[in-house]
Amino acid sequence: MRWGIFLIFALIGMSLDTALLPVLHLEIGGHIIRPSSLALLATFIGLWSPRHTTLWAAFIIGLLVDAVSPWGTLILFGPHALGYLFAAAMLLQLRSMVLRREVFAIAFLTALFSVAAGVVIVAILLVRAWTIGLDPSMNWTASGELVRRLLAGIYSGVVAVPLAWALFRTMPLWGFHATPGVRMPRR
Amino acid sequence: MTRRDGISFRPLFIAALLALILSLLPARYLSWTQDAAAIIQLPVVPFGHAFVKVRTWLRPGQTALPEQSPALQQLQQELEQFKTLYQATELENQRLREEIEQLTLARREGSQAAARLQYASIVGENAQSSGRTFFLNRGSRAGVQPDTVAVHNGVHLIGKVGPGVSALTSELIPLTDSAIRHVEVYLRPDATSPPNNDTPRALLKPASDGTLVGEVALDSGVAVGHVARLDDPSWPPTATALIVGFVEKLEPKPENPLRLIVSVRPRFTAEHLASVTLKVQTTGETP
């Protein structure tokens, strides 16, 4: 994988997630649900890259998400990075079971990826809440956050359908090489 | 920790361990993360600008009534600004009179808080927050502080800056976000005369439908279309008499027939704007 291309796509994904995709937000049961394009990007890379690259890319994407996700008054570099890392590790176990050239397969995996990352993020924040406490300005409950992330994960999967189609068009730019057990898409 | 192909996972393991430690460090050791995040966000700003433009194009806000000519719109804008200025001054006068009467203050820094205006672009939305908060491209380097007031067209209150302000960016908490617990307003027709003791007041709380909801007495005289202006001591003085919104709905309160539930809808909201004006409070010179 070309890391320069990865960085450009990651920055575009960050901007999409903070500036454009919120326009598609839904309000369900008092939860504001927003889709994420970065989860799709991490899933996309996870389907086509070697293990090592997949894990590092997910970790870096998680750090970028952490940078734009203040928890109250605090920026924590860690919860998303670890959440994405865990989700990428899970993805590596699943990727040989799906037809990765299928847009719907990547959309489904994006939803799974988001939910898995969300569980880890909530777990880390829960540990933080128990040990040193969260910022008092945070209006946060673990159950509410879990529900929100579950719904956001499903929604990210839905929004991933058109985005994945667009992402597949950029395949030649990425410089992916065939990895063991991975079938490359037909040209 | 090394794979058969010779690639070591040790650096990744160490990075993950560091991330876990950072996640659980007390806040006093993490003051640097704001600046680090600001540096990471810098390259995103150009893309963010473009996407916010697209967003405001896709979902434009209500800017003015379409049948009004530009000259009339400008005159109305100026009129609103003068009304705001006049009423803010009158309210401040009332406060000063009370203070003098009670002789509780020995000295005061200034009669009215001065403000320096700072144009700020909305460069994104905090996708992780449970509410809807927005990133601004102005931070402490531009004088922005927590609670700095954000307005549109000079008189329409949009929200205030949240507690996390970095050198280059800050976070805008819109007026309708649940993080704004409540705002105290006075409600009256859009007249130029200042409010008095009989002017109905209400404590408005953000509702989930983008309005602010409160209660007034049945005989208060509040009607649909009345203007709600801020008069809340918990907000900075620069926000006094700014327009919170317009009364959209009045309903009897089921539990108390002598009270009405009033719904106020802001005319402008942050999600439909590409920029706001920050009223950065400047401390007056001490005499």
Side-chain angles (χ1 to χ4, degrees):
Chain A
M1 185 184 76
R2 296 191 181 108
W3 284 97
I5 294 291
F6 162 74
L7 206 61
I8 291 168
F9 273 81
L11 292 177
I12 293 173
M14 244 172 112
S15 310
L16 265 176
D17 282 4
T18 55
L20 188 60
L21 288 184
V23 82
L24 300 175
H25 78 275
L26 300 175
E27 200 163 338
I28 302 172
H31 299 285
I32 292 179
I33 312 301
R34 303 177 188 85
S36 166
S37 67
L38 284 172
L40 165 67
L41 184 66
T43 308
F44 175 72
I45 292 167
L47 285 180
W48 299 109
S49 302
R51 282 177 166 269
H52 196 256
T53 311
T54 297
L55 294 173
W56 268 114
F59 185 77
I60 292 166
I61 290 173
L63 281 178
L64 293 178
V65 179
D66 278 325
V68 289
S69 309
W71 300 103
T73 59
L74 207 58
I75 296 270
L76 290 175
F77 284 108
H80 285 91
L82 291 170
Y84 277 42
L85 185 61
F86 171 80
M90 182 204 71
L91 183 68
L92 290 173
Q93 306 304 315
L94 295 175
R95 68 180 183 179
S96 59
M97 300 177 198
V98 296
L99 289 169
R100 62 197 70 195
R101 74 190 67 171
E102 285 291 332
V103 164
F104 289 102
I106 195 171
F108 173 71
L109 286 177
T110 300
L112 270 185
F113 184 99
S114 303
V115 172
V119 169
V120 174
I121 293 161
V122 172
I124 290 170
L125 287 179
L126 207 55
V127 172
R128 187 175 175 86
W130 283 337
T131 51
I132 46 181
L134 291 175
D135 191 304
S137 66
M138 270 181 73
N139 188 12
W140 190 87
T141 60
S143 55
E145 189 69 15
L146 260 181
V147 171
R148 189 174 76 84
R149 286 185 181 275
L150 175 72
L151 294 172
I154 295 167
Y155 193 27
S156 296
V158 173
V159 173
V161 173
L163 290 180
W165 180 85
L167 210 47
F168 275 131
R169 307 295 106 187
T170 67
M171 280 290 279
L173 295 175
W174 289 86
F176 292 130
H177 298 291
T179 52
V182 174
R183 284 183 298 162
M184 294 301 286
R186 279 194 293 262
R187 299 276 177 184
Chain B
M1 213 171 288
T2 306
R3 264 179 24 168
R4 276 172 299 180
D5 55 10
I7 298 172
S8 172
F9 281 92
R10 185 168 290 145
L12 186 62
F13 177 75
I14 293 168
L17 197 64
L18 273 176
L20 184 64
I21 292 167
L22 281 178
S23 302
L24 300 174
L25 268 184
R28 63 177 177 276
Y29 299 116
L30 294 172
S31 55
W32 57 271
T33 56
Q34 290 272 3
D35 295 326
I39 292 166
I40 293 171
Q41 284 171 29
L42 268 183
V44 180
V45 169
F47 296 113
H49 271 298
F51 286 135
V52 165
K53 294 275 182 208
V54 175
R55 192 183 71 187
T56 48
W57 176 72
L58 286 172
R59 273 197 185 174
Q62 181 194 358
T63 50
L65 297 173
E67 66 269 20
Q68 290 177 344
S69 67
L72 188 59
Q73 285 174 22
Q74 193 180 349
L75 282 171
Q76 280 192 335
Q77 175 64 27
E78 284 175 12
L79 182 66
E80 282 185 347
Q81 283 174 351
F82 281 117
K83 278 181 199 168
T84 301
L85 195 63
Y86 178 61
Q87 294 189 22
T89 311
E90 281 299 320
L91 281 168
E92 190 58 30
N93 281 347
Q94 281 178 14
R95 286 210 187 93
L96 282 173
R97 270 185 232 117
E98 284 166 17
E99 283 174 7
I100 291 165
E101 282 169 12
Q102 294 173 20
L103 294 174
T104 52
L105 288 178
R107 63 176 190 172
R108 188 176 166 85
E109 288 188 349
S111 63
Q112 188 182 342
R116 182 167 52 81
L117 301 180
Q118 186 72 248
Y119 183 83
S121 295
I122 296 173
V123 292
E125 183 170 339
N126 181 357
Q128 302 303 322
S129 76
S130 53
R132 298 201 73 186
T133 58
F134 299 84
F135 294 120
L136 302 175
N137 68 342
R138 290 283 182 274
S140 57
R141 197 174 287 179
V144 178
Q145 300 154 350
D147 285 345
T148 295
V149 174
V151 298
H152 180 64
N153 279 354
V155 292
H156 292 274
L157 185 60
I158 302 299
K160 64 179 173 181
V161 171
V165 178
S166 70
L168 300 169
T169 60
S170 53
E171 198 176 5
L172 170 67
I173 303 173
L175 199 57
T176 49
D177 190 86
S178 57
I180 305 278
R181 307 245 181 246
H182 51 73
V183 286
E184 198 178 338
V185 299
Y186 58 90
L187 300 139
R188 57 206 304 269
D190 197 11
T192 50
S193 57
N196 52 39
N197 289 339
D198 298 328
T199 305
R201 289 170 182 273
L203 202 61
L204 302 180
K205 291 178 181 172
S208 56
D209 61 348
T211 61
L212 295 121
V213 178
E215 286 178 32
V216 288
L218 185 65
D219 59 354
S220 60
V222 174
V224 171
H226 279 193
V227 184
R229 289 179 185 265
L230 191 95
D231 184 20
D232 192 328
S234 68
W235 279 66
T238 49
T240 303
L242 289 175
I243 297 173
V244 169
F246 295 83
V247 176
E248 185 182 71
K249 203 165 52 177
L250 283 161
E251 291 172 331
K253 191 178 179 189
E255 313 90 82
N256 188 347
L258 296 177
R259 306 284 293 171
L260 289 171
I261 296 173
V262 57
S263 296
V264 171
R265 186 174 290 280
R267 178 167 287 174
F268 301 99
T269 52
E271 65 180 286
H272 295 124
L273 297 173
S275 62
V276 290
T277 306
L278 296 174
K279 295 182 87 174
V280 180
Q281 194 171 336
T282 54
T283 49
E285 287 180 25
T286 310

